[in-house]
Amino acid sequence: MATNIVWHKHEVNKATRAESLGQAPRVLWLTGLSGSGKSTLANLLEKKLHGEKKHTYLLDGDNVRHGLCGDLGFSDTDRVENIRRISEVAKLFVDSGMIVLTAFISPFRADRDFCRNLLAEGEFIEVFVDTPLEVCEQRDPKGLYKKARNGEIKDFTGIDSAYEAPASPEIHLEYKDEPAEDTAERLYNLLAEKGLV
């Protein structure tokens, strides 16, 4: 832990930034198994919000691991650190007035709660993309389940590493066999009904 540092308070703050952007900043945190459709849905949702002139940024699991978290593996310890870093980045984006979308397996409740607790009340919106394991395995867009089943990948969520489903997410989105565009529209409508977009 760093010592001898003091938070510098700036005159332009989250409220003034959000006002200039004309939106309420928040994090839309999509969580679910690999292959559940998180990245696809987050991408489609961001496109819809962008079309409505909302100011957004999408943090995607694989993309973040190319840079910010490129030094981390997939052990439980590394997964915790991965989500800690993402949470801090998401907090900065919210402070900038943005709507942040994230697409991370984020298998542990405590890690998702860490991000929730960094933000103000109502700024963390947990979206559980609830796709059955067998459907994720059938999709297997990156061939990871096959590798995990063959023992080529260790600590794979849903196979030999746990996934802790959200206990009470703001949005519980069941997603099995409908087109992604229809599911993204359903997600948008669920968010809109609750005044979250």
Side-chain angles (χ1 to χ4, degrees):
M1 180 67 83
T3 58
N4 300 316
I5 57 172
V6 177
W7 186 264
H8 188 92
K9 192 170 183 177
H10 300 277
E11 290 185 39
V12 177
N13 58 31
K14 178 170 60 178
T16 56
R17 293 183 193 105
E19 183 181 358
S20 71
L21 294 176
Q23 63 187 30
R26 57 178 38 102
V27 173
L28 305 175
W29 190 286
L30 280 71
T31 177
L33 294 171
S34 177
S36 63
K38 300 177 303 298
S39 294
T40 300
L41 294 174
N43 181 56
L44 290 168
L45 180 58
E46 185 182 34
K47 186 177 177 183
K48 171 94 170 167
L49 294 172
H50 182 74
E52 295 183 352
K53 307 300 183 198
K54 300 290 187 185
H55 301 270
T56 61
Y57 196 84
L58 172 54
L59 296 168
D60 181 78
D62 281 356
N63 292 357
V64 168
R65 282 183 176 270
H66 280 280
L68 178 68
C69 297
D71 59 327
L72 299 175
F74 291 92
S75 68
D76 286 356
T77 301
D78 282 356
R79 286 179 186 276
V80 169
E81 175 60 14
N82 183 55
I83 298 305
R84 186 196 70 78
R85 292 181 193 180
I86 296 314
S87 298
E88 294 289 353
V89 169
K91 178 184 175 187
L92 291 173
F93 271 109
V94 167
D95 191 58
S96 78
M98 302 284 279
I99 296 171
V100 186
L101 298 94
T102 77
F104 294 90
I105 295 172
S106 48
F108 306 125
R109 285 189 198 106
D111 298 337
R112 299 188 302 265
D113 286 344
F114 174 80
C115 186
R116 184 185 295 275
N117 292 330
L118 285 178
L119 303 170
E121 183 74 29
E123 288 182 342
F124 182 89
I125 310 305
E126 189 173 40
V127 178
F128 176 29
V129 182
D130 187 0
T131 304
L133 176 62
E134 58 272 18
V135 174
C136 295
E137 285 203 68
Q138 288 167 6
R139 290 178 184 165
D140 204 8
K142 303 170 191 171
L144 300 177
Y145 282 101
K146 184 177 180 183
K147 288 182 180 179
R149 292 290 188 193
N150 290 337
E152 298 170 47
I153 299 176
K154 300 294 182 198
D155 302 318
F156 192 76
T157 304
I159 304 300
D160 58 354
S161 185
Y163 177 75
E164 299 172 355
S168 54
E170 281 74 11
I171 303 290
H172 185 156
L173 185 72
E174 294 183 351
Y175 178 32
K176 290 172 68 174
D177 50 15
E178 69 182 338
E181 291 78 9
D182 293 352
T183 307
E185 187 67 24
R186 191 157 51 88
L187 172 56
Y188 175 84
N189 291 336
L190 288 167
L191 290 163
E193 286 168 15
K194 293 177 180 255
L196 300 173
V197 290

